[in-house]
Amino acid sequence: MKKVLSMVMACAITAAALTGCSSAASESKTTETVTTAETTAETVKAESAEAETTKAVETEAAKETAAETSKAAESDVTLRVGSMKGPTTMGLVSLMDKHDKGEAKGAYEFTMVTAADELMGKVVSGDVDIALVPANLASILYQKTKQNIQVLNINTLGVLYVVAADDSIQSIPDLKGKTVYMTGKGTTPDYAFHYLLAQNGMGDGDVTIEYKSEAAEVAAVLKEQPDAIGLLPQPFVTVAMAQNENLKMVLDLTKEWDGLEGSSGSLVTGVTVCRKDVLEDPHKAEAVKVFMEEHGESADFANANPEETAGLVAAAGIIEKAPIAQKALPYCSIVCIGGDEMKELLSGYLQVLCDQDPSSIGGQLPDDGFYYSVQ
C-alpha cells in the first residue's frame, strides 16, 4: 500500500513539474513574441524616419540642382553689349560692376565706343548682340539689316542742352544770327535741333552750326571762347560748366520740344536694340529677358544712388571726375521704358524726324516688327 501511495505521489509531482515547465515555456514564448513585435515596430519606425530623412535630403538636393541648372541657363549665354560713352552707358555701370564682381544673373561682354557709326558697324557685322544707340540710328539699322533688329526699350530721354554765358538766350529764336557748336551731324542732336529751329520759323541761314567730332572738342571751344554757344548732351554739359564757371544751361531742348503746339511723342535720345536672330533663339531670348530685367535695375540704381554711380562712371572712364558725374546724373534722363509706352513715345519721335527728313530714319517709318514685346 505504501509502495502504491509513493508511486501516486511521484506521478503527481512529475505532472506538476511538467505543468510548471509548460507554463514557463508559454510565458517565455509570449514574452519573446512581445519583444519581437516591439523590436519590429521600432525597426519599422526607424526605417520610416530614415526614409523621410533621405527623401528630404533628395528633395533639397533636387532643388539645389534645379537652381544651379537655372542659374547655368541664365549665364551660359554670353551677350555682347555695345554702348556709347555717355548717358546710355551711365545707366549700365551698375550692371557692369555687378558683372565684374560675379553678382550679375546673366553673362555679358561690354564694349563702349565714342562714335555712333562705330557701334552701328558692330551691329551690322554681328559683333554685338545688343546695342544702346541713338533713336534715329535704330530706325536706320532696321532698314540696313533687313528688319533684323528690334527695340527693347528707351534708355534715355532728352539730354540735350544749349550752354552759354549769355543770359539773354531764353528761347530758340534768341539764337538767330549766332554760331552754335555741336557734335553728331546727321544724328539725334542734329535733327532735333533743326526741327526746333523750323518749328520756331528759322532756317539754316538763321543760325550757323559748327560741327565737331566729339563732345570734348565742343567743351574745349567753350572753355577757350567765353562768348561761344554749345549744344551738348549730358554729362558733357556739366563737364564744360566745370571748366568755365560762367557757362549756364540756357535752354533745355526737351522743354522746348514739349512746349511746341501739337508736339508728338517726346525727345527720345537713346534706345536699346537687339538682333532679331538672337531673339529667335529660345535659349538666347531668355538671356535677353534677364538682361532687360538687370538693365532696368541698373537704371533705377543710377537715379537712386548718384554718389555711388558717379564713382562707377569715373572708374569706367566716361567722366574723369566722380563729383562732376554726380552733378550731371540728375540731368541725364536715364530711364528704362519698354512695351506700349516705349512704342508710343518712340514712334511719335520718329514721325517728327520722318516729316523733317525721311533719310534721318532710314527712308521710311519702321513697321510694328520694330518694337519688341516680351512674350
Side-chain angles (χ1 to χ4, degrees):
M1 184 68 178
K2 289 181 180 181
K3 187 175 180 180
V4 172
L5 183 60
S6 295
M7 290 179 66
V8 171
M9 289 183 66
C11 288
I13 292 171
T14 300
L18 289 173
T19 301
C21 286
S22 175
S23 238
S26 177
E27 287 177 7
S28 174
K29 187 174 181 180
T30 300
T31 301
E32 182 179 348
T33 301
V34 171
T35 301
T36 300
E38 289 176 350
T39 301
T40 301
E42 289 296 326
T43 301
V44 170
K45 186 176 180 181
E47 288 177 349
S48 177
E50 184 178 353
E52 288 295 325
T53 301
T54 302
K55 185 178 180 181
V57 169
E58 289 175 347
T59 301
E60 189 62 31
K63 287 181 179 179
E64 289 178 2
T65 301
E68 288 173 1
T69 301
S70 176
K71 186 175 182 180
E74 290 178 355
S75 63
D76 62 1
V77 174
T78 298
L79 294 173
R80 298 164 299 170
V81 182
S83 61
M84 292 184 64
K85 186 178 182 179
T88 55
T89 305
M90 291 169 76
L92 268 181
V93 291
S94 175
L95 175 55
M96 293 165 70
D97 180 57
K98 279 186 176 181
H99 184 263
D100 288 344
K101 294 176 179 177
E103 298 173 356
K105 296 177 184 176
Y108 311 107
E109 181 182 298
F110 295 100
T111 301
M112 183 174 68
V113 301
T114 58
D117 288 348
E118 184 180 354
L119 197 52
M120 182 175 178
K122 289 182 179 295
V123 176
V124 173
S125 65
D127 289 338
V128 296
D129 304 308
I130 293 173
L132 285 68
V133 299
N136 71 308
L137 184 58
S139 182
I140 293 173
L141 278 169
Y142 189 63
Q143 311 303 340
K144 278 189 172 294
T145 61
K146 297 181 180 180
Q147 293 77 51
N148 190 38
I149 66 157
Q150 285 187 300
V151 180
L152 302 178
N153 61 44
I154 294 171
N155 54 56
T156 45
L157 293 172
V159 298
L160 299 171
Y161 297 84
V162 174
V163 186
D166 188 351
D167 290 330
S168 68
I169 302 173
Q170 298 182 0
S171 65
I172 294 293
D174 293 333
L175 296 172
K176 190 170 184 177
K178 300 183 184 300
T179 298
V180 177
Y181 294 89
M182 64 181 293
T183 63
K185 183 176 177 61
T187 61
T188 294
D190 191 23
Y191 288 116
F193 187 52
H194 275 90
Y195 172 71
L196 289 172
L197 290 176
Q199 292 300 304
N200 282 275
M202 300 166 67
D204 292 341
D206 294 310
V207 177
T208 300
I209 301 176
E210 292 282 349
Y211 294 99
K212 298 295 180 181
S213 61
E214 291 188 21
E217 292 184 43
V218 176
V221 171
L222 294 171
K223 182 180 180 181
E224 296 165 3
Q225 302 178 24
D227 60 344
I229 302 170
L231 173 58
L232 285 168
Q234 285 288 5
F236 303 105
V237 169
T238 304
V239 172
M241 291 170 61
Q243 295 173 347
N244 183 346
E245 61 182 13
N246 294 318
L247 290 176
K248 307 174 186 67
M249 289 183 284
V250 293
L251 293 177
D252 178 345
L253 263 59
T254 301
K255 289 183 179 179
E256 296 295 322
W257 184 292
D258 292 342
L260 293 173
E261 186 176 349
S263 63
S264 177
S266 184
L267 183 53
V268 179
T269 300
V271 299
T272 306
V273 302
C274 181
R275 297 201 333 269
K276 195 178 291 185
D277 58 298
V278 172
L279 292 168
E280 288 172 348
D281 182 320
H283 197 41
K284 292 180 179 179
E286 286 302 313
V288 172
K289 289 180 183 179
V290 172
F291 167 78
M292 292 175 67
E293 176 188 339
E294 295 197 287
H295 186 192
E297 292 170 354
S298 187
D300 290 342
F301 184 89
N303 291 316
N305 303 275
E307 184 175 359
E308 188 173 347
T309 301
L312 297 174
V313 167
I318 302 170
I319 299 179
E320 185 178 352
K321 298 180 180 179
I324 295 176
Q326 187 173 346
K327 288 181 180 179
L329 276 163
Y331 301 99
C332 287
S333 300
I334 294 170
V335 296
C336 198
I337 301 172
D340 292 339
E341 185 180 3
M342 173 261 288
K343 182 178 179 181
E344 180 181 356
L345 292 175
L346 182 54
S347 62
Y349 175 67
L350 294 177
Q351 180 68 65
V352 168
L353 296 186
C354 186
D355 292 343
Q356 181 186 354
D357 180 3
S359 66
S360 68
I361 62 166
Q364 62 183 2
L365 287 169
D367 56 31
D368 287 346
F370 180 60
Y371 305 94
Y372 175 72
S373 178
V374 178
Q375 301 300 316

